[in-house]
Amino acid sequence: MSLTFVIESFKFYKLKDTRLVQGLFLLAFALNFLLIAFPMGDRDFSNLLNYAMALVRQPELLMKPSRLLPAENATGILTFQNLLFLLGLGIRTLLNGLMVVFYATLMQVRVADYPREDGIRNYFKKLPSMILFFLLLVVPYIFSFYFIQLPFYILLSFLAFTPLFLIDRGLNMSQAMDLSLTKTYGLKFQMVVAFIILNFMISLPSNLLFSLLGSNGNRISGALIKSFFQALQVMMAGRLYGLFYTYRTRMLGFNPGPWGRDGAEDMVHFLSEINRKSQIDNGDSDNDDDEEY
């Protein structure tokens, strides 16, 4: 299922709301470009890495007084510039996460057959709760950065459906988190694997092009490359997220058929119904120009 859904996520353009999808891609590209090309603070964390390596060699250093954060007339393991960089990284992570959920919301509007305006209204109504949810995840995301983000993905797999339960079902934060823990049962490992595969598939060409075109000291060209692939990842992650949510919460509605049909046939039917319903006109399409797409 993981690889099947990742391949399906390449079809992020397959939504009736063409203009919104195009606008979301451009917004993701522009925001990531600004934050990558003009980063806040300093990304040099050599003091922190050296301290961590020293702890491995000499664990007794934990018993000695040390200062993680800077203070007046004192030098910390992290500088103020390091903290600014982490803040910028957190802002970029938050914005990308919100755009992923927005795409998944557009997808649910189509597959669940309710008015697009209601879905968008519910999204912005729950925006403060989603921001709070993502802020709670920023710290584990940052500390997972040097571990290929694996711990973050594992934690997120437990709470993955929380934002869409807030929007799609109108639950409060605690209810959405509790229901997410239940509804992700049996899907956690597959979701982690799927997002790791997606991250690898995006990182490989991004790093290759960056090494060829953006590593010669030209900050703008490097930022353009990274921003394009980051925007692409946002769109694909939004569709991948929406697929897992739809599969777990609405699979029965897409799964009519004879008894004894195997899992492969069920998956083919499910994906074909997703593509059909996400492209049909429910009477609230963007405009007539969308028909040419």
Side-chain angles (χ1 to χ4, degrees):
M1 179 192 296
S2 297
L3 184 57
T4 302
F5 277 10
V6 170
I7 294 173
E8 184 66 23
S9 71
F10 279 88
K11 302 176 183 178
F12 63 85
Y13 54 88
K14 285 195 171 184
L15 277 181
K16 182 66 180 177
D17 308 282
T18 308
R19 293 287 185 258
L20 282 176
V21 171
Q22 293 171 344
L24 185 62
F25 180 86
L26 293 176
L27 179 63
F29 176 79
L31 290 176
N32 279 279
F33 174 76
L34 289 175
L35 293 172
I36 293 174
F38 308 101
M40 299 186 298
D42 184 8
R43 64 173 66 229
D44 182 10
F45 289 85
S46 56
N47 289 341
L48 179 61
L49 293 177
N50 290 337
Y51 181 72
M53 294 176 64
L55 286 179
V56 173
R57 295 191 300 267
Q58 298 175 287
E60 62 273 12
L61 290 177
L62 283 173
M63 306 302 295
K64 296 182 179 180
S66 59
R67 188 179 297 277
L68 177 63
L69 302 179
E72 186 178 359
N73 299 324
T75 301
I77 298 172
L78 292 175
T79 66
F80 281 116
Q81 293 299 313
N82 291 148
L83 297 180
L84 281 176
F85 176 80
L86 292 177
L87 176 61
L89 180 61
I91 292 173
R92 186 155 68 94
T93 302
L94 173 63
L95 294 175
N96 286 331
L98 291 174
M99 288 185 286
V100 166
V101 177
F102 186 78
Y103 180 97
T105 300
L106 292 179
M107 188 174 175
Q108 293 309 303
V109 165
R110 289 304 174 182
V111 300
D113 295 328
Y114 59 83
R116 182 187 61 192
E117 289 74 14
D118 288 351
I120 296 176
R121 187 183 303 111
N122 291 339
Y123 175 89
F124 285 103
K125 180 180 178 181
K126 293 293 185 177
L127 191 57
S129 297
M130 285 193 293
I131 291 176
L132 175 61
F133 173 73
F134 280 111
L135 287 177
L136 295 175
L137 295 175
V138 167
V139 173
Y141 176 85
I142 292 174
F143 282 98
S144 298
F145 190 76
Y146 292 101
F147 299 96
I148 325 178
Q149 298 177 346
L150 186 59
F152 172 75
Y153 283 139
I154 294 174
L155 173 64
L156 188 58
S157 68
F158 285 85
L159 304 174
F161 296 156
T162 301
L164 281 181
F165 282 141
L166 290 170
I167 300 167
D168 191 36
R169 299 196 178 182
L171 304 179
N172 60 39
M173 180 71 76
S174 61
Q175 292 172 331
M177 294 176 73
D178 288 341
L179 189 57
S180 179
L181 290 173
T182 302
K183 290 296 185 179
T184 55
Y185 180 78
L187 281 183
K188 296 180 180 68
F189 178 75
Q190 296 183 64
M191 285 192 291
V192 170
V193 170
F195 279 96
I196 289 177
I197 293 174
L198 176 61
N199 186 60
F200 175 77
M201 294 176 72
I202 294 295
S203 298
L204 189 62
S206 175
N207 293 336
L208 179 61
L209 284 176
F210 181 77
S211 64
L212 294 175
L213 304 175
S215 60
N216 56 0
N218 191 330
R219 183 178 64 182
I220 300 300
S221 63
L224 286 171
I225 293 170
K226 290 186 176 181
S227 302
F228 172 80
F229 282 98
Q230 184 64 69
L232 188 63
Q233 185 169 6
V234 165
M235 306 301 289
M236 292 176 63
R239 187 168 182 84
L240 181 60
Y241 177 43
L243 285 170
F244 275 112
Y245 178 81
T246 306
Y247 178 81
R248 177 43 54 95
T249 61
R250 295 189 168 99
M251 177 62 176
L252 293 178
F254 294 96
N255 195 30
W259 289 98
R261 187 169 62 184
D262 61 31
E265 289 179 307
D266 282 342
M267 187 59 63
V268 170
H269 180 75
F270 171 72
L271 293 178
S272 65
E273 283 295 290
I274 287 289
N275 286 322
R276 183 185 68 83
K277 292 181 72 64
S278 63
Q279 295 179 83
I280 62 176
D281 189 352
N282 294 332
D284 57 351
S285 59
D286 292 324
N287 52 53
D288 292 336
D289 293 339
D290 285 355
E291 298 297 332
E292 63 180 315
Y293 291 90

